[in-house]
Amino acid sequence: MQKNSYKTYWNVKTLVFMALLVAMHLVLTRVLVVELGAYRISVGSVCTILAGLWLGPVAGGVCGFCADIIGCFMKGYAVNPLITVAAVLWGVLPALLKPLFANKGRTGKTVGICISVAVTGFFSSLVFTTAGLVLFLGYNFYAIMPGRLVQFVIMIPIYCVLTVLLYFSPVTSMVVGTVAPVLSKKTV
């Protein structure tokens, strides 16, 4: 991403990685998923978290928004605005919390990523998604909240492990742009 003093411009590389992360999110959330009514067990939000950590909060939010809207059309759901806000938060909040742990060592970054994922999961999953299910789909809050708490307790460690593993993988340096080109000379 190129930054100017007034605006932020996305280059082609950033847009391609955003599209790839949205596509991976859709596959992991809409295809490879276990749906149990008010509960959905998937790891697609990790793609949106990584979009935010790698490309910034705006790109993470756009990825979450696009993945949710396209996913609704894929499955034939009506768009639920509170669940869409929750999807956007998965990309925005970890990126906004990144400056708190960006200059730390590997352990500090790991703890920071896990805390940001847990905070995001609380607001996104327990607050906004639950509110969307109750207000727009008519679920009983007291009936679904215990199950959503269990889902939160099980899924957040999985999100943390996957996010940390992928964040510290060589893919991060490729996306962020700190890898030197493979070919240094023209061959043609």
Side-chain angles (χ1 to χ4, degrees):
M1 222 178 326
Q2 298 172 355
K3 292 188 178 180
N4 193 339
S5 60
Y6 301 107
K7 295 183 180 180
T8 299
Y9 297 100
W10 291 340
N11 57 20
V12 174
K13 178 182 173 186
T14 303
L15 293 174
V16 167
F17 279 118
M18 287 172 64
L20 286 171
L21 289 166
V22 167
M24 290 185 343
H25 180 109
L26 289 169
V27 168
L28 293 172
T29 304
R30 305 299 178 176
V31 179
L32 302 174
V33 62
V34 177
E35 295 210 35
L36 305 167
Y39 315 105
R40 179 183 297 155
I41 299 172
S42 72
V43 292
S45 296
V46 172
C47 299
T48 306
I49 294 167
L50 289 171
L53 291 174
W54 285 338
L55 306 171
V58 175
V62 169
C63 286
F65 179 82
C66 291
D68 186 65
I69 298 298
I70 295 169
C72 287
F73 291 139
M74 282 176 60
K75 287 290 200 171
Y77 299 150
V79 175
N80 186 327
L82 290 175
I83 294 177
T84 302
V85 168
V88 169
L89 286 178
W90 280 112
V92 172
L93 286 181
L96 290 177
L97 296 173
K98 185 179 177 181
L100 299 176
F101 59 85
N103 297 327
K104 308 283 185 199
R106 187 176 176 110
T107 304
K109 285 182 182 176
T110 301
V111 170
I113 289 170
C114 291
I115 290 171
S116 69
V117 168
V119 167
T120 304
F122 173 79
F123 286 110
S124 182
S125 182
L126 291 181
V127 175
F128 282 99
T129 302
T130 303
L133 292 172
V134 170
L135 295 175
F136 288 96
L137 297 178
Y139 285 97
N140 183 340
F141 175 80
Y142 298 106
I144 65 168
M145 196 58 181
R148 294 200 57 77
L149 286 170
V150 169
Q151 177 187 15
F152 176 79
V153 169
I154 292 170
M155 293 307 294
I156 290 302
I158 294 170
Y159 287 166
C160 289
V161 168
L162 289 174
T163 303
V164 167
L165 286 175
L166 289 169
Y167 187 78
F168 289 117
S169 72
V171 176
T172 297
S173 56
M174 185 175 67
V175 173
V176 174
T178 57
V179 170
V182 177
L183 296 172
S184 60
K185 297 180 183 178
K186 285 188 173 180
T187 58
V188 179

